[in-house]
Amino acid sequence: MTNISSIVKSARKIMRQDTGTGSDELRILQLGWMLFLKIFSDKDKELELLLDDYISPIPKGLFGMNGLEMMKV
């Protein structure tokens, strides 16, 4: 597992190049949401594997994982 601080530093470096995230405040806000969605997605996948009767609260097709797949932790 990769160190979280190196992941955050790497994400911040990439986000600084994006014109839509002009300030550290916006970058921190977006990074917080990305981390939340990544953790939520991983927990959702874990519960699907562990529980036979588990139904995800997120409808299929609504929660696209393409962007989060880049954040392999």
Side-chain angles (χ1 to χ4, degrees), residues 6-40:
S6 65
I7 294 170
V8 170
K9 286 179 184 178
S10 175
R12 287 180 68 209
K13 183 178 178 182
I14 293 168
M15 293 173 81
R16 280 190 189 110
Q17 298 170 2
D18 182 8
T19 57
T21 55
S23 68
D24 278 337
E25 182 181 344
L26 290 174
R27 284 191 283 273
I28 291 169
L29 181 63
Q30 288 181 354
L31 189 57
W33 273 109
M34 287 190 292
L35 289 172
F36 166 76
L37 291 172
K38 173 65 176 158
I39 293 167
F40 190 90

Side-chain angles (χ1 to χ4, degrees), residues 37 40 44 56-68:
L37 291 172
F40 190 90
D44 194 46
S56 176
I58 303 168
K60 296 283 184 205
L62 181 63
F63 191 56
M65 295 306 301
N66 293 336
L68 294 178

